Amino acid sequence: SKALLTKQPHLPRPLLRSMNDYYMPLHTEHIPYDWIAQPHGPIDSTFLQSFLTATLSHEQQRNIGFRELCSHPDLIQRTLLEVSGTILTSHLAYRYGLATHVAGGTHHAQADRGAGYTILNDLVISANYMMKTELNGGNILNVDKVLVIDCDVHQGDGTASFGTNICNHGNGIERDSNGNGGELYTLSIHCQSNYPFRKQKSTYDVGLPDNMTDDEYIQILKENVNLAIQEIQPDFIIYDAGVDVYENDVLGNLKITEEGIRKRDRWVIEKCVREGIPICGVVGGGYDKDINALARRHAILHEEGAYVWRKYKLWSRHKQ
């Protein structure tokens, strides 16, 4: 919040003038269970219930990484609010063509387990919500194919585990007798040598070598995003804008500058807007002992979203 409320030299004004400028997601007690849990949602109901009741096993907590903190009410609340926020951001992106979330990107979590400090996969939960009229109440129309563009430095293995084309698998997002549901596609552009060391199969996987710098990174990004959009023809895009690609990120292994991250985010957002594909942006990963510096890097997604918003006057594209 501090990063977004502070005026930066390259901006005409702060992105937000007050805390009242945020859209606020549903609070935890108001989030419908069906949005998340099978059979309507994509998450295993037993795993979800164990998490919500703080009864995950020691092994499940260890795999997530938070260990005993998995039982802390604040972490449970934060996890649910993050999911609710990504659903809200997706709704706003559908309405206006573009929206960004101050959290999100829990791409290591699978249907029945968490991993890599992620518990519930907000990307898949939101994609499922957008494609199922029984969940979104018919407020979302003609979203049958969702593409996740994952630019976190780590492969989006959890998202990939739900299936390349989930319509043809029994993993939680599939069409019912009324035609509800759709197809989820994944493009993961990540550092090949980094976590997870056992990779899943995304629709498109681009494993980058260590120490890659801006120019080659942006070229590979453009080639693969263009290819995925051309082949999939998605109706909606969720963009994981992880900043752990940064050259000094403690878990990164790439050599991307802050200017490179800015170019990446602007290009992806503007590409989607020009193509007429609604895009929901989430912040993804980033690791730095200097929390203020990390917040500034995460704010790049919102700054570039604001630039594209103004350039294309997206407030005029409002859908009811």
Side-chain angles (χ1 to χ4, degrees):
S1 295
K2 179 180 177 181
L4 297 177
L5 289 164
T6 303
K7 185 183 182 306
Q8 301 300 319
H10 56 281
L11 296 176
R13 56 185 177 275
L15 290 180
L16 298 170
R17 298 181 187 277
S18 76
M19 294 296 291
N20 293 328
D21 288 341
Y22 285 102
Y23 281 92
M24 302 299 289
L26 287 177
H27 205 267
T28 51
E29 62 264 27
H30 301 303
I31 300 171
Y33 191 78
D34 282 351
W35 283 7
I36 302 174
Q38 296 174 358
H40 302 293
I43 304 302
D44 179 83
S45 58
T46 300
F47 170 72
L48 177 61
Q49 193 61 29
S50 295
F51 171 62
L52 295 180
T53 56
T55 56
L56 291 173
S57 69
H58 174 77
E59 183 67 14
Q60 287 174 312
Q61 293 179 359
R62 187 188 67 82
N63 287 336
I64 289 169
F66 291 123
R67 297 184 181 272
E68 64 275 5
L69 288 177
C70 290
S71 301
H72 198 287
D74 286 349
L75 181 61
I76 295 172
Q77 181 183 58
R78 183 205 178 280
T79 300
L80 290 173
L81 286 173
E82 184 170 40
V83 169
S84 179
T86 304
I87 291 174
L88 171 61
T89 308
S90 296
H91 238 300
L92 292 169
Y94 174 81
R95 180 180 297 174
Y96 292 104
L98 165 64
T100 56
H101 185 10
V102 296
T106 50
H107 63 167
H108 298 307
Q110 301 186 25
D112 60 353
R113 71 197 71 177
Y117 299 96
T118 68
I119 301 172
L120 302 176
N121 194 310
D122 65 301
L123 308 173
V124 177
I125 293 169
S126 296
N128 181 63
Y129 172 89
M130 295 298 290
M131 293 188 287
K132 283 192 172 180
T133 56
E134 65 192 67
L135 298 182
N136 62 51
N139 294 310
I140 309 295
L141 302 175
N142 302 316
V143 175
D144 297 315
K145 292 187 288 186
V146 174
L147 171 64
V148 173
I149 299 175
D150 192 335
C151 289
D152 193 279
V153 80
H154 307 103
Q155 191 209 31
D157 59 320
T159 309
S161 73
F162 285 83
T164 300
N165 182 342
I166 302 179
C167 235
N168 298 327
H169 301 277
N171 295 47
I173 304 179
E174 53 186 10
R175 291 197 180 281
D176 60 21
S177 59
N178 296 318
N180 288 315
E183 300 168 355
L184 175 66
Y185 298 90
T186 50
L187 164 61
S188 181
I189 304 175
H190 53 268
C191 179
Q192 184 63 27
S193 70
N194 215 323
Y195 177 91
F197 303 110
R198 179 178 293 179
K199 303 290 193 289
Q200 295 279 347
K201 180 176 175 52
S202 308
T203 315
Y204 304 90
D205 278 306
V206 183
L208 306 175
D210 288 9
N211 301 314
M212 178 174 284
T213 54
D214 289 1
D215 290 346
E216 188 176 4
Y217 178 73
I218 296 298
Q219 179 181 349
I220 290 172
L221 169 82
K222 291 180 178 180
E223 289 173 355
N224 286 278
V225 170
N226 282 331
L227 176 65
I229 289 177
Q230 179 182 356
E231 292 186 347
I232 302 302
Q233 295 291 301
D235 304 306
F236 193 85
I237 286 175
I238 301 176
Y239 171 47
D240 186 333
V243 297
D244 42 12
V245 297
Y246 177 59
E247 57 189 344
N248 294 322
D249 190 277
V250 297
L251 297 179
N253 296 352
L254 299 182
K255 298 296 181 183
I256 310 304
T257 65
E258 289 190 356
E259 184 59 30
I261 293 172
R262 188 173 297 281
K263 289 179 180 178
R264 177 197 71 178
D265 290 354
R266 180 177 296 188
W267 185 85
V268 171
I269 295 170
E270 192 162 12
K271 167 71 176 178
C272 295
V273 169
R274 287 199 313 268
E275 296 282 343
I277 307 168
I279 176 172
C280 160
V282 300
V283 298
Y287 308 91
D288 196 316
K289 292 181 180 179
D290 186 338
I291 299 301
N292 289 326
L294 178 59
R296 286 293 331 132
R297 286 195 287 278
H298 280 313
I300 291 172
L301 169 68
H302 308 291
E303 292 168 0
E304 295 309 311
Y307 171 85
V308 174
W309 171 273
R310 293 168 184 145
K311 180 178 178 178
Y312 291 90
K313 300 181 179 178
L314 292 180
W315 57 84
S316 66
R317 299 191 184 187
H318 180 275
K319 288 184 180 179
Q320 297 296 330

